[in-house]
Amino acid sequence: MSSSTGPALQVYDTTLRDGAQQEGLNLTVHDKLAIARHLDELGVGFIEGGWPGANPRDTEFFDRAEQELDLKNAVFTAFGSTRRAHAKASEDAQVRALLDSQAKAITLVAKSHTGHVARALRTTKDENLAMIEDTIRFLTGEGRRVFLDAEHFFDGFELDRAYALEVVRRSMEAGAEVVALCDTNGGMLPASITEVVQEVIAETGAQLGIHCHNDTGCAVANSLAAVGAGVVQVQGTVNGYGERTGNANLLTVMSNLQLKMGQQVVEPEHLQEATRIAHAIGEITNVPPIGRMPYVGASAFAHKAGLHASALKVDPDLYQHTDPGHVGNAMRTLVSNMAGRASIELKAREMGVDLAGRPELQQQIVTRVKELELRGYTFDAADASFELLMQREMTGEPIRYCEVESWRVIAEARGDQGEAISEATVKVSAGGRRIVATGEGNGPVNALDEGLRSALAEIYPEIDGFELIDYKVRILDSSHGTDATTHVLLEMAGDSTSWTTVGVAPNIVEASWIALLEALTYGLWRKGVPVR
Ligand SMILES: CC(=O)SCCNC(=O)CCNC(=O)[C@H](O)C(C)(C)COP(=O)(O)OP(=O)(O)OC[C@H]1O[C@@H](n2cnc3c(N)ncnc32)[C@H](O)[C@@H]1OP(=O)(O)O
Ligand SMILES: CC(=O)C(=O)O
């Protein structure tokens, strides 16, 4: 939704600038362009693209964004600092780089804390005010919209209230559209944010924004408090990426504003893209949203407790604070040792199986799940294994694409430095034949996977499309050391989806074999391949 014609409250995204300041996050120009496309689809008003002139990547980003992106909703802003002390704004290389970026809006970072003016800028309070005014006047004179990020505002306000207010006043007089008050060190709590924002508005009448960091775990709450106190712009990042503990998570802020505070900040259909976009951006940054992330996390609407499921069966509102569909997420039921009959009924329904009115079968499945979970199985993390278990209990027969006669793996390394190679022999019957096949791999699971595939490939060529994409091992009773039970989760992909199976056994290779055989079985079964 565009800022000029849009709602009174502007949504300002800084994922590509402050988000990129997160430890371990390293974005190419290509990544930044892809993220910008997603942000535009989310309907934010402003996308802060980076700091042109600070590094070649950000400079190139603005060049390419201008040529390659046709934003439907957002306006790009270029971020940078005010002119250096005792220089001319028009001759300052950083300021010129902001102009050269061609961004229609520019966000200047400026000092509003007298300690920073003296110790970081090593200049006078008057010169800092002049740096702010000159730079804003120069850029607005060049036809750019200017926002001002008042760094360390809240700490500065506490130290020298009059000076912090003067920064706001002089910025507005010079032509800044919005002065965003920054909790740069992230140390504030909501009540103080409300108080300061109200006071600044009362004293200056300025159009304010808010930019919060999450060092007290309150970045979202602080942003909402600022909105409640009257700011007109709210800044944040997707998935809360950012320096140290991150920035306010813009997706949480937007969802709360829209769904809890009655402020329509984007079109409802844009908000419905939030979950998809959180995960798509997580793929690009290689820092996926944590499962427990509000609204968009994989677990945000996942229910494990049997009591919850029994109420959810009647009405999802009984254990959900909002309809997950508003943010493009979905309710999920998790089956585990905390499940009851209702959990099974709901999970089965998710899988397209109607178990309503079959309490005995539901109970039989609950009992089986609990027995296996006691032995170390975890069905909440392995939907495919649960679905196979459910089918087995429903029909009384396991789904079997082959009869396993035996399997064996050896690992061999030659010499001190020799690379260990594993070799598996798999003996099965399928398609009316006895098949003996071998497979080699860099580890026993890889060798077993190769061996099993080569045994089944002729009878079930469909397995060629399956690929083992993740493999996790956990020792269940670590006090037993090498004697402990091993738990394996294995994820396989095919036909644009993936599925997870679980195997548990005292022997790591056996646990892996169980999970592997189930993964191939599940893949064939869900493809509708008949047993041959
Ligand atoms: C609160 C925030 O997160 S703001 C965003 C911070 N982001 C970044 O710093 C990432 C991009 N930064 C960079 O690539 C580099 O720091 C650059 C290119 C901006 C500057 O690099 P350098 O010229 O080597 O300076 P350096 O990083 O050592 O120090 C920053 C300089 O900017 C000055 N400065 C800091 N804030 C401001 C400001 N608001 N206005 C003007 N100058 C400022 C500092 O006083 C210091 O000046 P000095 O060189 O005279 O000591
Ligand atoms: C500007 C900014 O990123 C901050 O003050 O945190």
Side-chain angles (χ1 to χ4, degrees):
M1 191 171 281
S2 109
S3 63
S4 49
T5 56
L9 186 63
Q10 299 172 347
V11 177
Y12 183 112
D13 180 275
T14 175
T15 305
L16 299 178
R17 197 277 300 172
D18 216 350
Q21 288 176 219
Q22 171 160 321
E23 180 175 11
L25 211 142
N26 193 356
L27 302 173
T28 63
V29 175
H30 181 80
D31 293 337
K32 292 184 77 152
L33 291 167
I35 291 173
R37 281 190 198 95
H38 287 302
L39 293 172
D40 191 43
E41 286 162 11
L42 186 62
V44 302
F46 295 93
I47 298 174
E48 191 171 84
W51 185 330
N55 62 68
R57 236 186 254 180
D58 280 10
T59 307
E60 185 188 336
F61 169 78
F62 280 96
D63 289 346
R64 287 185 53 189
E66 172 79 10
Q67 291 158 22
E68 296 176 29
L69 299 184
D70 177 21
L71 300 187
K72 301 280 181 294
N73 301 298
V75 171
F76 272 123
T77 72
F79 178 93
S81 64
T82 55
R83 69 157 170 83
R84 296 280 172 133
H86 309 294
K88 278 181 118 177
S90 60
E91 290 168 9
D92 186 294
Q94 285 291 335
V95 177
R96 290 232 66 97
L98 291 170
L99 267 188
D100 293 345
S101 74
Q102 304 302 328
K104 292 188 180 61
I106 289 168
T107 299
L108 292 172
V109 59
K111 308 290 186 199
S112 53
H113 182 299
T114 50
H116 280 264
V117 174
R119 293 166 63 205
L121 283 186
R122 298 179 303 281
T123 194
T124 61
K125 295 198 287 186
D126 283 345
E127 176 59 9
N128 180 52
L129 290 170
M131 287 157 68
I132 295 170
E133 284 183 312
D134 287 356
T135 318
I136 296 173
R137 286 193 203 285
F138 172 67
L139 292 170
T140 52
E142 294 288 328
R144 306 304 166 88
R145 301 170 67 177
V146 176
F147 301 127
L148 189 107
D149 274 2
E151 236 194 287
H152 297 100
F153 185 85
F154 295 91
D155 305 316
F157 187 86
E158 197 179 328
L159 183 74
D160 186 341
R161 181 177 178 277
Y163 188 75
L165 288 171
E166 193 60 10
V167 167
V168 175
R169 271 194 211 100
R170 299 276 278 271
S171 302
M172 298 304 290
E173 282 162 18
E177 239 177 86
V178 171
V179 177
L181 309 185
C182 301
D183 181 18
T184 307
N185 291 358
M188 301 303 292
L189 297 175
S192 323
I193 295 270
T194 302
E195 207 176 294
V196 175
V197 170
Q198 281 174 345
E199 215 171 316
V200 177
I201 293 174
E203 292 282 345
T204 65
Q207 300 269 313
L208 299 182
I210 186 75
H211 175 111
C212 291
H213 281 267
N214 200 31
D215 302 69
T216 56
C218 290
V220 168
N222 286 345
S223 305
L224 298 178
V227 173
V231 302
V232 298
Q233 181 184 89
V234 63
Q235 302 192 356
T237 61
V238 164
N239 298 333
Y241 299 134
E243 188 100 28
R244 305 184 309 278
T245 55
N247 285 59
N249 185 336
L250 198 60
L251 299 173
T252 317
V253 170
M254 288 166 68
S255 305
N256 281 328
L257 286 170
Q258 193 126 330
L259 303 175
K260 308 287 173 174
M261 291 169 73
Q263 294 238 17
Q264 182 165 329
V265 289
V266 291
E267 298 295 342
E269 54 271 28
H270 286 146
L271 195 62
Q272 284 162 14
E273 297 296 315
T275 300
R276 177 185 68 75
I277 288 171
H279 291 265
I281 292 180
E283 287 291 322
I284 298 169
T285 57
N286 208 15
V287 183
I290 55 166
R292 287 178 285 102
M293 194 168 280
Y295 292 102
V296 300
S299 304
F301 299 95
H303 304 278
K304 188 158 166 175
L307 283 191
H308 295 206
S310 82
L312 286 162
K313 205 176 74 166
V314 180
D315 179 356
D317 286 350
L318 290 172
Y319 272 95
Q320 289 185 159
H321 68 99
T322 192
D323 176 353
H326 291 320
V327 290
N329 208 340
M331 182 179 114
R332 290 189 302 127
T333 312
L334 305 175
V335 168
S336 73
N337 62 347
M338 292 184 201
R341 282 170 290 129
S343 316
I344 302 298
E345 185 182 332
L346 283 179
K347 190 72 197 172
R349 196 191 295 166
E350 259 172 45
M351 293 170 162
V353 177
D354 184 8
L355 293 186
R358 301 180 69 184
E360 278 148 29
L361 179 57
Q362 291 168 11
Q363 185 55 56
Q364 191 182 314
I365 297 172
V366 171
T367 306
R368 186 75 187 128
V369 164
K370 291 193 181 193
E371 275 167 17
L372 288 168
E373 290 242 342
L374 188 63
R375 286 171 43 197
Y377 281 78
T378 51
F379 290 100
D380 60 337
D383 272 4
S385 287
F386 172 72
E387 205 164 346
L388 291 177
L389 177 153
M390 185 172 72
Q391 289 297 329
R392 187 162 62 233
E393 297 302 318
M394 281 165 61
T395 60
E397 283 293 320
I399 298 166
R400 273 208 191 108
Y401 282 90
C402 63
E403 290 297 327
V404 179
E405 182 183 317
S406 68
W407 55 266
R408 182 179 65 197
V409 191
I410 53 166
E412 185 185 31
R414 302 217 167 148
D416 274 358
Q417 308 293 323
E419 193 191 340
I421 298 288
S422 296
E423 190 185 301
T425 305
V426 174
K427 297 180 186 172
V428 296
S429 300
R433 288 164 41 194
R434 177 173 183 267
I435 306 160
V436 178
T438 57
E440 261 191 359
N442 53 12
V445 182
N446 186 214
L448 275 177
D449 185 31
E450 291 298 325
L452 188 54
R453 279 164 190 276
S454 105
L456 297 181
E458 226 180 278
I459 317 286
Y460 300 110
E462 295 87 350
I463 61 171
D464 253 6
F466 304 162
E467 190 194 352
L468 202 165
I469 58 169
D470 200 8
Y471 172 77
K472 292 194 192 101
V473 180
R474 192 153 64 95
I475 303 303
L476 288 177
D477 184 356
S478 44
S479 62
H480 279 97
T482 50
D483 229 7
T485 302
T486 313
H487 167 279
V488 165
L489 281 179
L490 192 148
E491 189 176 358
M492 195 158 279
D495 300 325
S496 319
T497 182
S498 70
W499 56 95
T500 303
T501 53
V502 55
V504 173
N507 180 308
I508 184 171
V509 185
E510 187 185 355
S512 307
W513 168 264
I514 294 167
L516 183 64
L517 187 62
E518 282 223 329
L520 291 177
T521 302
Y522 182 81
L524 291 170
W525 175 74
R526 63 175 288 287
K527 240 174 133 54
V529 175
V531 173
R532 296 175 187 133

